[in-house]
Amino acid sequence: MAKVQVLNVAVLDNPSPFGNPFQFEITFECMEDLPEDLEWKIIYVGSAESEEYDQTLDSVLVGPVPAGRHMFVFQAEAPNPALIPESDAVGVTVALITCTYRGQEFIRIGYYVNNEYTDAELRENPPNKPNYGQLQRNILASNPRVTRFHINWEGCAEKMEDSENVDPAPNAMLPPSCTPGKAPPLGLVPDNSMDCL
Amino acid sequence: MKLLKPSWVNHNGKPIFSVDIHPDGTKFATGGQGEDSGKVVIWNMAPVLREEDEKNENIPKLLCQMDNHLACVNCVRWSNNGLYLASGGDDKLVMVWKRAAFIGPSTVFGSSSKLANVEQWRCVMILRSHTGDVMDVAWSPHDVWLASCSVDNTIVIWNARKFPEIVMTLKGHTGLVKGLTWDPVGKYIASQADDHSLKVWRTMDWQLETNITKPFSECGGTTHVLRLSWSPDGQYLVSAHAMNNSGPTAQIIERDGWKTNMDFVGHRKAVTVVKFNPKIFKKKQKNGSTPKPSCPYCCCAVGSKDRSLSVWLTSLKRPLVVIHDLFDKSIMDITWTLNGLGLLVCSMDGTVAFLDFSQDELGDPLNEEEKNAIHQNIYGKSLAITMESQLASTIIENPEMLKYQQERQRNPNPNGAQGSGHENQTPKLTNVLNGESLEDIRKNLLKKQVETRTADGRRRITPLCIAQLDTGDFSPALFNSVPILPGSSASTQLTPQISSDSSTANSLGLRPSHDPTTTSPNKTAEENKDSGPAPVNSIAMKSNLLLTSASKMEPMKALDSRFTERSKATPGVTSVPITIGITPLDRVKDNSSAKELKVKDETSSDSEDKNMVKSLSLVKRKVEMEGGEVVEKRKKGRPRKDAKMMMPISQPIPQTPVSVEKEPSRLVTPVVALKLPTPSIRKSFSTQVGTDSITYLEVENDVSVVSGARLSQLKWSREGREWDTLLPSRIIIATGSSDVVAVACEDRTLSVFTACGRRLIPSIMLPAPMSALHCSGHFVMALTASATLSVWDVQKQTALVKNESLNPILSGTDATVSQSLLTQQGVAVVALSNGKTYCFNTSLETWNLIADKQDSLVQCADFRNCLSSQDALGSMGPLALTQGRNLSAGRLASRLSSTPHNLQQGITLAFLENQLSSALILLSASEYRHWLLIYARFLVNEGYEQRLRELCQDLLGPVHKSSSSSWEPTVLGLRKRDLLTEVLPVIGQNLRFQRLFTEYQDQLELLRIK
């Protein structure tokens, strides 16, 4: 069983201009003292078409982690627009937070991200070349998709033989089909509803 | 019979594989498939039982859900005591859950359900051993063992008192093991597997008792589970899927000879689960069938793959009821309520059903006596006393008993740390958060969190710990923090644990040699090297502390040589030991201002310093008598090797010699064996009286000179009220209680005043200087430098202890007195530096050992389970004061130790009895009560019936008065029968002792009426 349980992820500074750093306040609980650090990553899916556009925005080590409930804020720079296909700049995509222990990913938290122009004019007539300065990033914080993986917490990266049993459904995190620039407002609410502390 | 399908009990449509009702009947657990993991859910029972509770939105339905299992959960089972939940699943793990006290509601992150967990159940143990899916788990009677079985063909017996210890792995099945049941008598465990066999194993040696194959030979491995069950009377074992003439049955196996002559027939598909009602019933049959009217019978529910449920009475040839089409898929598990009238069934289709029977339908449950008779008959002994598994079917005979049982159920955590209600569990995070609210922390988390770079340049964040994991264990911190009663009876500077004094004293020898008065620092340094321990402790050093050069040496040798030398050099000088002035500046002033030689003056002149420096070469101590005036005797062999040792200043204490200033009191210098240190004389000091911190004693020595004699002033103040008095000699120690004030003077007199300042008795002449002085109530305790103890009751003007020597406890050891105190009841307690603490028992006139740090009983005793939260408070008192630190150490040790349970039991018992007698001898009523309750709880938990009975008997006393009885109705001022009234609820928490409970409850009641 997982020694680390993610209790909550609060999306900070949301919505925000496209160039702002991502900020996730992560609360997790650990059953026993972890001898090694956790590694957290934020991955920005540049294009639903291909993984090749995935950008790892940042990765941090978190530790030491004694038994108990902990929190930290994971801040990572905004994605590099140059690496995003122009056609995918506006619209819905996905940001992933993953956590690995001893090189094994045990949780993957996905958020739908909607990038749109705040300016009505731009929204109506999006420029061919995306104007990142005018884009607003809106993370659908209220609806995270959490996938947990069975890993071997004791040893190093020795694969658990049955981890495929619990692999996420393929394409589970692919964004819904959505015409760029035509995405309706997602009606986001601040993600405090789950925070019961 | 009523039937209910509570639709709100579901795993979002996913299969529910297991259901189990908590022994207290207030909740039940389900286990099964979650979204992408296994899922265990704890539900509130009330909304199932009562429609109005179901409709009441304030009553939570879901109490807690845990998705920690990585794959489907096949079985959930509550321990018999209700404290734990065990779950086993396809992830090969068995998890043991316990309710956590301190962490508030939370959700499962990312789950679609926004419902918060009302109760927090936390996985306290993960049991890994199986190499395949765990299909069934079962707690043994007494919760001694937990058994789990798996598709890896094995059964693992876990030591439930020492998880994750494995007692035994039972191997022998050649197919997937899919069901387990313990014999309620505790002799066997039975397992059923896909290998067409049912095996019964002995718990004595874990060997196979019997292997039953015949009824299963035709069975195919078609069922997910094979949950078999043992009848509450132990007589029958009923299997899951068996075949008889090609028809599916549930095979009845008789305990007697393991005969397989009967079965439950009628299901059209394989039987997946059999569950006996925990009660035994009896009823006169009305349906015309004709078993013997008095013959008790059992009740059994059978669930099958054919989606139907049948309920059987062993007295009937046909099922009591058969319910078809209750579910869309196979029945997976069945559980009965404690009273035997309710039944929960779960199904692969993800729903549960609740059946509510009436007594008319099932019969009258046997009461305890009848049941005992049955057990007596069958097994030659009453199971009610020994078998906790029987408790589930025990009838509560006494309404008082019921009350305590209910109280216990309301608060199943013995530490009492959790709130009683579901609703108001607020997270108690403040300890960790230093009082900051979580909101505040969150605002600044990004700025505040510690972020570093690793060697390879990666970011590394140190997470902020917002809550520690609570395992429900009693925190030893409460014991650790027992203060040494600052300002109360032990308020003077001789309480070594108020450590500035002693550490300062120790640092005497360790002073760096930059003191301007030092004339030969090198030599000092040398001396320092020679003389043992490296200087380490100089925390309390003050730069302005003006001390002699002697102070730079290892204390003892330095002082020894110094005193010898000094007595040579200045024969007339009274040399009183160096002690650290709390107010060093005063002393300096003193020294410089007064040209006359002062009694305490060890530092004044340069020439003296030089003399002393010279004397440093005298490494060996010499005892010299100068003109018979100065006598120095010092007990050898007590070097203070460890500068950190918590010991009072133990310099030699020279007697007050004839002084050149003709102070009359110093004319006589008796030869005294000096053993104990005395405090220094300070120009002025103040001390707090009592614990209320509003009463102070202030002493100012040498306030005024009247016709050549110096007077010392003693001032008492309390919230503006004050009085003062003058004494002709300088005051060494002043102390007080709420009733009296006692001061010891340099001239070896002891004066005692009332709290209003009236002198109570003329000065008491002491045989030796005062080492420690305590007041408590109207008792005064004096510990003299010659190691004698006296305790007086100044109100009654009697001596409780008269010049009692400390020799019996000091001789033969290297120890010195590290602490002394006087209890409110006038019992003198002396703690030695070797970790032993004694008190003087005035009735036996003996020194009694009440605490010993090395005591292995203390180290190993484990009674945490017997502590309640109030206990921590109740334990304040002299016993806790002397033992506090050890106790916590013992508890920690017990957690680590791997002593066998029975040995630990014995240790704990011995320890608790020691505590009781110690509290008794200390006359500490509250602690006696405290330990008595813990003792009783321990006896109840561990089932020491004889001792429990003896205890009750002593507390109750003879019911009829007789002159020959030597029974005392009170102990330490507590009425024994009142104590019994307190002990009885403790006994009442364990149904095993309900006979005992009722017996004494009744007698108490009887006496009360009288």
Side-chain angles (χ1 to χ4, degrees), chain B residues 726-740:
Chain B
L726 291 169
L727 291 153
S729 174
R730 281 186 287 186
I731 297 167
I732 309 175
I733 312 178
T735 182
S737 68
S738 50
D739 297 327
V740 292

Side-chain angles (χ1 to χ4, degrees), chain B residues 739-773:
Chain B
D739 297 327
V740 292
V741 172
V743 292
C745 294
E746 164 178 40
D747 60 4
R748 290 194 285 116
T749 58
L750 172 68
S751 305
V752 182
F753 306 91
T754 65
C756 298
R758 177 171 56 86
R759 185 177 267 277
L760 265 173
I761 26 179
S763 295
I764 298 171
M765 194 64 200
L766 296 167
M770 187 66 76
S771 174
L773 178 66

Side-chain angles (χ1 to χ4, degrees), chain B residues 567-619:
Chain B
S567 39
K568 255 191 237 156
T570 53
V573 173
T574 312
S575 47
V576 166
I578 303 189
T579 44
I580 293 308
I582 297 286
T583 53
L585 279 175
D586 283 350
R587 190 147 53 152
V588 175
K589 207 172 22 177
D590 231 16
N591 291 339
S592 53
S593 66
K595 255 298 136 190
E596 312 97 312
L597 287 170
K598 293 203 171 145
V599 185
K600 296 305 169 241
D601 184 357
E602 66 273 20
T603 66
S604 53
S605 74
D606 277 61
S607 64
E608 216 175 88
D609 275 354
K610 276 173 194 146
N611 284 337
M612 281 182 275
V613 168
K614 221 195 285 167
S615 77
L616 297 180
S617 55
L618 299 171
V619 178

Side-chain angles (χ1 to χ4, degrees), chain B residues 333 425 495 606 665 790 1002:
Chain B
D333 204 1
Q425 277 213 334
T495 54
D606 277 61
S665 62
S790 301
D1002 289 352

Side-chain angles (χ1 to χ4, degrees), chain B residues 539-573:
Chain B
I539 313 153
M541 288 303 298
K542 293 178 183 166
S543 57
N544 57 0
L545 195 56
L546 180 60
L547 292 168
T548 67
S549 54
S551 67
K552 285 137 208 132
M553 298 174 285
E554 190 276 328
M556 188 173 102
K557 283 180 188 167
L559 291 167
D560 284 349
S561 53
R562 190 177 129 228
F563 282 123
T564 24
E565 184 61 26
R566 180 138 116 164
S567 39
K568 255 191 237 156
T570 53
V573 173

Side-chain angles (χ1 to χ4, degrees), chain B residues 239-271:
Chain B
S239 79
H241 185 36
M243 296 290 267
N244 187 356
N245 280 329
S246 307
T249 63
Q251 184 66 46
I252 300 172
I253 298 152
E254 290 173 59
R255 186 193 193 91
D256 182 17
W258 310 114
K259 287 182 290 233
T260 54
N261 298 330
M262 297 178 285
D263 46 20
F264 293 122
V265 195
H267 282 286
R268 286 156 297 162
K269 285 185 180 170
V271 170

Side-chain angles (χ1 to χ4, degrees), chain B residues 380-399:
Chain B
K381 60 177 179 177
S382 162
L383 292 181
I385 299 300
T386 52
M387 304 312 302
E388 275 179 355
S389 70
Q390 292 293 306
L391 294 182
S393 53
T394 301
I395 296 158
I396 297 172
E397 300 169 8
N398 184 320

Side-chain angles (χ1 to χ4, degrees), chain B residues 431-445:
Chain B
N431 292 351
V432 194
L433 303 179
N434 282 333
E436 264 184 289
S437 85
L438 194 62
E439 281 311 309
D440 292 347
I441 284 173
R442 291 182 58 183
K443 267 180 226 152
N444 296 312
L445 185 57

